[in-house]
Amino acid sequence: MTHSAPLHVPSHADLRAVVRIVGVASALGAPAPGPEAAPAALERHGLLQHLRGLGVAASWQETLAPLTVPPAGAPMRERLDAVGELARRVADHLTALAPEVFPLVIGGDHAIGIGTWRGVATRVAARGALGLIWIDAHLDSHTELSTHSGNIHGMPLAALLDEGDPALTGIDGPRIDPANVAVIGARTWEPEERERLRRLGVQVFDMAEVRERGIAAVFCDALSVVRERTGAFGVSIDLDALDASAFPAVTCPETAGIAPEELCDALLALRGCGDFAALEIVEYLPGLDPGGTCAGWVANIAGAALGPSTYLLRAKEREFGAHNYAPLPVVFRHGRGVWLWDVEGRRYLDMMSAYSAVSFGHANPRLLRALNDQAQRLALTSRAFSNDRLPVLMERLCSLLGYDRVLPVNTGLEAVETALKTARKWGYKVKGIAPDRAEIIACEGNFHGRSITIVGMSSEAQYRDGFGPFPAGFKRIPYGDADALEAAITPDTAAFLVEPVQGEGGILVPPTGYLARCAEICRRHNVLLIADEVQTGLGRTGRLLACDHEGVHPDGLILGKALGGGLLPVSAFLADAPVMDVFRPGDHGSTFGGNPLGAAVALEVLALLDETRPWEHAARLGERLMARFRDARLPCIREVRGRGLLVGIELDPALLRATTAAELLLARGIATKDTHGTVLRFAPPLVITEAELDAAADIVIDTLASATAVPRHEPLHP
């Protein structure tokens, strides 16, 4: 069955739902041929496919070409008339597009902008005047009387502001108010151009200002200029605004320009602008781009500006996805280190690190290099064959953690299921439990995953509701109560499965000595102690393993999340030979488990652990963070608890629910989440700096204080 119904979202959120690309194959205004080939080259290099891959409903409308092309050296009059004729056609074609269409105009030289922006101004006239952001290394504000070069592509902005030859200024359409025009990135011009724009009142943010303040800040100010008392605005990008060392394929390259990736980041702000009416990209020279690198940047620039907004992406997720998650109101696009950026370009400090999976930060260069290098050699064979990465990973894991055997799988849930199967078979084959009688003990408040077997062990009603019947052979005891463990053990008990710190349960740390006592009880009763360190392992709690806080070496160890470096699902179950050797070929397996790609990344994770010892950093910063929260003495905080950089704040729900607090923090650039509506959790990447953590603590404390400081008013009485 296919889902062919249209996505239903409010009209105000249906931003750029239909993009039509209009090519203009013209070099009429340029000093030499070349730009006229840009539309065809960009179409060939996959501009349309890139936009569609982002979720943009884009199509190529048409490509216009000049009806007459004056010969080289033709008089200015002849060339002006040819440019004017093409500009009229461009304006007419844009005006004729359906109202719901968003035009993406691809040039061609910048002279086509005369037609582009007259046509767009006509399209939006019912809403109000048009503002215009002009991103260019040059001011393009000559007239035929002031030009030094004689090239008409140096005249379009002046013509749009009604200065110049009537062939250029006389295109039909509303005039653009110079007070609503902002130029960004200019770094070369003649005095006549700068004086003209100064006289007219155009705001120029030259390259010196861009370097001093940053493109994001300048772009924000430019948006304010073009949206003041206007109904809509457009953005025209002459690619020579980019630094020529990174983007050489332009008609008039200039050094020391805007970095392409920085321009892309700034353009993300356009995704949330309902009054953004059109985009123009010009002056790409395919002849200087044999490998297509610059064409790729053009696609990235267009995609940054035209990609779906947060609202639209969330609407798609709600309509087409199963409703098994209720994510916070943000859509992330990329991450670097401890930071995340959403699709509108806003930055957030990641205080979740994907439930401890991104311990070494987003886009860690060494992990990416390991991933890329291995992906180019071999990614997957299945375990029907051996690969050259997995044996090395197995050896290093066993050597590091002191076990004889490791069984690699993908997700933490799979590793837990592997541990359960191992414990049961060990119970039957080694301990001698009668068939189908083996018991496994777990704890109240546990979270080991969401398979039917695992939720059968859960004490959370929602996790169980509607998923029974559950497998037999599991029982629960209170967490942190070693006496309860001893009382629950019977001759049929095969294993005790426990989290050294309960994460999803609310960042619950058991009493000192609890794990050591449990280990002693299990040894005495010949019961396997299996530690689920999917969240707590590999440095998170201030030791390599959370069990190390009490010197406990469990019989079975479950690892995941951080082992994959935040790039791939890589998990493992480790045990000694007397336990693991109950398996025979065919007893257990996974097509992707132990794949060479995941193994290569995990090997680099282990190398980083060895070199950087991040648990020492986590121990110190975790104590600092908890002290900050405790010292704040906020009335809404009931308790602060945790180990290392796995910290929870339990809130008084009568004063502030943790779900509300998480949304308030998100609005202030802190990405975290609650658990059970009562506890805020903080587990940033282990590479976070002290300064970054202190800044986060300041925001958290201020947010919680502000949220609970609202005066309570008595109701009004008549």
Side-chain angles (χ1 to χ4, degrees):
M1 176 180 175
T2 59
H3 190 127
S4 58
L7 180 68
H8 298 294
V9 295
S11 58
H12 70 273
D14 199 16
L15 306 178
R16 295 173 293 287
V18 180
V19 171
R20 294 288 181 265
I21 303 174
V22 177
V24 186
S26 169
L28 291 178
E36 74 281 0
L42 292 171
E43 185 174 13
R44 187 170 62 252
H45 280 293
L47 171 61
L48 182 60
Q49 288 72 23
H50 178 78
L51 292 175
R52 287 177 173 173
L54 293 174
V56 179
S59 62
W60 203 285
Q61 178 81 12
E62 59 196 332
T63 295
L64 305 176
L67 297 179
T68 57
V69 179
M76 175 67 77
R77 177 75 271 147
E78 188 175 345
R79 291 188 288 122
L80 287 170
D81 289 343
V83 170
E85 185 276 333
L86 177 62
R88 283 183 174 83
R89 290 176 55 224
V90 171
D92 290 344
H93 277 258
L94 293 178
T95 302
L97 292 176
E100 68 274 11
V101 164
F102 182 97
L104 168 58
V105 179
I106 298 294
D109 68 83
H110 214 167
I112 71 166
I114 302 168
T116 297
W117 300 111
R118 282 284 185 260
V120 174
T122 301
R123 287 176 57 81
V124 304
R127 285 188 269 166
L130 178 72
L132 181 59
I133 295 178
W134 194 269
I135 302 176
D136 201 332
H138 310 92
L139 294 181
D140 285 355
S141 297
H142 275 298
T143 69
E144 75 285 358
L145 301 178
S146 68
T147 178
H148 293 210
S149 66
N151 296 319
I152 299 173
H153 76 159
M155 305 179 188
L157 187 53
L160 285 168
L161 301 177
D162 275 350
E163 301 222 346
D165 189 271
L168 307 183
T169 61
I171 311 302
D172 289 341
R175 273 32 190 171
I176 298 174
D177 186 341
N180 292 125
V181 175
V183 177
I184 297 177
R187 53 196 185 276
T188 180
W189 56 78
E190 276 84 41
E192 298 95 327
E193 295 179 281
R194 190 63 188 258
E195 176 54 35
R196 175 172 286 110
L197 295 186
R198 185 179 293 111
R199 170 173 55 81
L200 291 172
V202 171
Q203 178 73 57
V204 177
F205 301 95
D206 62 25
M207 198 59 214
E209 185 171 353
V210 171
R211 282 192 291 268
E212 178 183 354
R213 299 177 54 213
I215 182 64
V218 166
F219 196 77
C220 181
D221 285 353
L223 283 172
S224 297
V225 170
V226 302
R227 301 172 91 180
E228 181 71 25
R229 298 183 303 277
T230 59
F233 71 92
V235 177
S236 180
I237 301 174
D238 187 323
L239 293 165
D240 64 23
L242 302 175
D243 189 82
S245 63
F247 198 106
V250 293
T251 307
C252 299
E254 300 287 350
T255 59
I258 303 169
E261 62 271 21
E262 292 180 0
L263 178 60
C264 288
D265 288 345
L267 293 175
L268 292 173
L270 297 172
R271 295 191 180 191
C273 298
D275 51 345
F276 177 35
L279 175 66
E280 176 182 65
I281 303 175
V282 300
E283 302 278 0
Y284 168 61
L285 213 58
L288 298 180
D289 187 32
T293 300
C294 293
W297 274 119
V298 174
N300 288 336
I301 288 167
L306 302 181
S309 66
T310 294
Y311 191 105
L312 193 55
L313 287 166
R314 281 172 56 79
K316 289 175 184 286
E317 186 171 354
R318 284 192 303 271
E319 181 153 339
F320 299 112
H323 298 166
N324 59 318
Y325 275 94
L328 286 164
V330 65
V331 177
F332 290 126
R333 178 178 178 268
H334 73 280
R336 190 177 303 117
V338 299
W339 299 98
L340 293 163
W341 283 263
D342 70 13
V343 293
E344 273 96 24
R346 292 179 289 263
R347 190 179 75 159
Y348 304 78
L349 183 61
D350 183 1
M351 292 294 282
M352 277 282 290
S353 62
Y355 299 99
S356 303
V358 192
S359 287
F360 288 103
H362 298 276
N364 182 284
R366 283 183 54 174
L367 298 180
L368 285 177
R369 187 162 54 248
L371 178 75
N372 292 332
D373 289 348
Q374 185 62 40
Q376 294 178 58
R377 289 196 297 271
L378 180 67
L380 180 66
T381 63
S382 86
R383 291 295 302 281
F385 310 96
S386 296
N387 66 74
D388 66 342
R389 296 288 77 205
L390 180 59
V392 181
L393 174 63
M394 289 172 161
E395 178 186 34
R396 292 189 184 171
L397 274 172
C398 289
S399 298
L400 175 67
L401 300 168
Y403 290 94
D404 296 337
R405 304 275 192 269
V406 57
L407 199 161
V409 288
N410 304 292
T411 66
L413 179 150
E414 290 177 73
V416 172
E417 289 276 359
T418 301
L420 297 177
K421 289 178 71 174
T422 306
R424 279 184 166 175
K425 191 158 191 179
W426 174 86
Y428 298 130
K429 301 299 183 182
V430 177
K431 186 173 179 177
I433 299 172
D436 297 329
R437 295 291 302 274
E439 295 176 347
I440 294 174
I441 300 172
C443 292
E444 299 285 344
N446 75 76
F447 184 82
H448 300 290
R450 288 192 174 95
S451 70
I452 281 182
T453 297
I454 294 172
V455 299
M457 296 188 294
S458 178
S459 56
E460 181 69 24
Q462 181 186 354
Y463 298 161
R464 298 168 59 87
D465 182 31
F467 299 115
F470 300 107
F474 299 96
K475 56 177 148 180
R476 295 191 304 270
I477 60 171
Y479 182 64
D481 186 344
D483 291 336
L485 171 62
E486 182 137 35
I489 291 175
T490 73
D492 292 333
T493 302
F496 173 47
L497 175 64
V498 64
E499 299 161 273
V501 177
Q502 286 192 339
E504 185 71 19
I507 320 298
L508 298 176
V509 180
T512 301
Y514 169 69
L515 282 179
R517 175 102 190 281
C518 289
E520 183 275 324
I521 293 169
C522 287
R523 279 194 303 273
R524 184 155 35 86
H525 290 279
N526 194 25
V527 169
L528 299 179
L529 174 64
I530 299 176
D532 180 348
E533 295 234 27
V534 170
Q535 278 200 53
T536 56
L538 305 182
R540 171 59 54 185
T541 68
R543 297 287 182 91
L544 179 60
L545 298 175
C547 289
D548 293 344
H549 287 279
E550 296 192 12
V552 170
H553 183 78
D555 301 295
L557 175 67
I558 303 169
L559 293 177
K561 296 196 185 295
L563 189 58
L567 297 178
L568 294 170
V570 181
S571 298
F573 176 61
L574 293 95
D576 285 335
V579 174
M580 196 75 85
D581 285 355
V582 300
F583 282 123
R584 295 291 178 265
D587 279 356
H588 190 61
S590 163
T591 299
F592 281 84
N595 68 79
L597 190 61
V601 171
L603 279 166
E604 195 65 19
V605 167
L606 297 184
L608 283 169
L609 283 168
D610 181 59
E611 294 169 26
T612 63
R613 298 176 64 86
W615 54 87
E616 296 172 353
H617 183 68
R620 182 175 63 84
L621 290 194
E623 286 299 324
R624 183 182 183 89
L625 182 63
M626 287 189 283
R628 289 290 312 278
F629 291 153
R630 289 177 182 132
D631 292 346
R633 300 185 183 280
L634 296 177
C636 63
I637 296 180
R638 283 181 168 175
E639 185 181 9
V640 177
R641 53 183 180 254
R643 269 191 173 153
L645 284 173
L646 182 60
V647 175
I649 297 178
E650 184 175 345
L651 299 178
D652 182 346
L655 298 176
L656 180 64
R657 286 185 54 80
T659 48
T660 303
E663 292 203 15
L664 292 172
L665 287 170
L666 188 70
R668 297 192 62 180
I670 300 291
T672 189
K673 201 171 189 306
D674 71 289
T675 178
H676 298 299
T678 58
V679 178
L680 279 174
R681 48 185 157 197
F682 300 96
L686 302 184
V687 295
I688 193 169
T689 66
E690 186 174 297
E692 289 165 338
L693 196 72
D694 282 346
D698 289 341
I699 293 172
V700 171
I701 291 167
D702 183 67
T703 301
L704 298 183
S706 299
T708 53
V710 178
R712 298 176 182 273
H713 297 288
E714 293 297 322
L716 295 175
H717 297 288

